[in-house]
Amino acid sequence: MTTALQPARRAVPPKPPRARLRIIGWTVAALVLAAHAVAWNATEISVSALVEGATGMGEFLSEAVPPELGSDVLAESASAAVVTLWIGLLGTTLSIPGSLLLALLATRGTAPGWVYQPARSLLSFLRAVPDVVFALIFVTAVGLGPFPGVLALVFHNVGVMGKLWAETLEDADPGPAQALRSAGAGRIQVAAHALLPVVTPQMVGLLLYRFDVNVRSSLVLGLVGAGGIGFLINQSIQLFQFDEMLTHILVVLVLIVAVDQLSALIRRLLGSTS
């Protein structure tokens, strides 16, 4: 008479006692509070200084309101806002080739093993250096103006987009890629015919998101001399023309809203055609 084989029962690990969980919880809470106390002292946060500065802030706002709405100021602000838009646009589109190349080199299965880690390291470096630091470097190299802002965004955006696109490629459905490899396809053929067609909508969505971010970043780059409306804001603050500064900020608000609406429209069009 044969007996059916029964699966071996595995011992269930005992649950940690509640007293131990409470000790762990209180220890973590104490560490978090201690870290916040150290950060509070290190950053020199002072509520009294904030209260004392309320008067100065009120004077600042009284000088900024109402904004200067003269035709000359508005024309200059609108022209600089358009330059800011072009900086963000070129900083995004000119980074596409480098981002795509490094993304493919930093994706397992589309690049040799000896290239994978160096490509990842290069992406980490470009991503770790802030675009403002790149802008300061290029302002020193090529002078003031929008050009160093475009260069700064291109270099930083290659690091960010390359990382995002590499993660998207690695998370793609491996089925089509495995089928092509079994048929003898090379790495480039696998990337071109199996991976990129599958993840193109996600990559375009990430690119539009970075375009939004780059337009905002180009505003900050203008504060360090990289052109655009950020340069006008910095100039207005230095000359104590706070009413003109508020005008420039309002124009920036209109620009950001317009870019958001444009990106949303493109996403809807892509969604309807997919």
Side-chain angles (χ1 to χ4, degrees):
M1 181 177 181
T2 60
T3 58
L5 296 178
Q6 296 181 351
R9 294 183 178 179
R10 296 182 179 179
V12 178
K15 296 182 178 179
R18 292 186 177 181
R20 182 182 176 186
L21 292 177
R22 283 197 296 268
I23 293 174
I24 294 175
W26 283 110
T27 302
V28 172
L31 291 175
V32 171
L33 289 176
H36 279 75
V38 172
W40 187 280
N41 292 328
T43 54
E44 301 178 357
I45 292 179
S46 174
V47 178
S48 60
L50 181 61
V51 173
E52 293 173 359
T55 303
M57 183 62 66
E59 295 177 356
F60 173 81
L61 292 177
S62 65
E63 295 179 9
V65 178
E68 175 58 52
L69 299 178
S71 58
D72 294 340
V73 175
L74 285 176
E76 183 183 26
S77 185
S79 176
V82 172
V83 173
T84 297
L85 177 63
W86 298 151
I87 294 174
L89 177 65
L90 292 178
T92 303
T93 56
L94 294 182
S95 67
I96 292 176
S99 300
L100 183 58
L101 175 61
L102 287 178
L104 293 173
L105 295 178
T107 302
R108 291 186 178 90
T110 61
W114 60 272
V115 175
Y116 175 81
Q117 196 56 50
R120 285 272 173 170
S121 300
L122 180 56
L123 289 176
S124 298
F125 170 75
L126 295 175
R127 193 171 64 256
V129 179
D131 46 17
V132 175
V133 175
F134 277 126
L136 290 172
I137 294 173
F138 287 120
V139 163
T140 304
V142 302
L144 300 174
F147 183 40
V150 173
L151 293 176
L153 287 181
V154 168
F155 274 76
H156 182 71
N157 202 58
V158 165
V160 176
M161 285 304 308
K163 170 69 173 179
L164 294 175
W165 282 354
E167 297 295 336
T168 303
L169 288 170
E170 288 193 343
D171 292 338
D173 182 10
Q178 292 176 354
L180 283 181
R181 290 192 190 98
S182 63
R187 299 178 186 272
I188 297 179
Q189 292 174 318
V190 170
H193 300 289
L195 292 178
L196 290 177
V198 173
V199 300
T200 294
Q202 293 91 330
M203 294 174 69
V204 172
L206 291 171
L207 184 66
L208 290 173
Y209 166 73
R210 286 302 304 174
F211 173 58
D212 290 346
V213 173
N214 286 336
V215 172
R216 292 169 173 82
S217 297
S218 61
L219 167 65
V220 179
L221 298 183
L223 299 178
V224 297
I229 198 169
F231 181 78
L232 293 183
I233 293 176
N234 187 35
Q235 186 180 54
S236 299
I237 294 174
Q238 292 178 348
L239 297 177
F240 300 101
Q241 296 173 339
F242 301 122
D243 53 348
E244 293 187 7
M245 177 209 68
L246 182 57
T247 300
H248 301 324
I249 292 176
L250 293 176
V251 171
V252 168
L253 177 61
V254 174
L255 174 64
I256 296 302
V257 171
V259 171
D260 287 340
Q261 293 297 320
L262 176 62
S263 298
L265 175 62
I266 295 175
R267 289 190 183 94
R268 286 196 297 268
L269 293 176
L270 291 175
S272 62
T273 56
S274 61

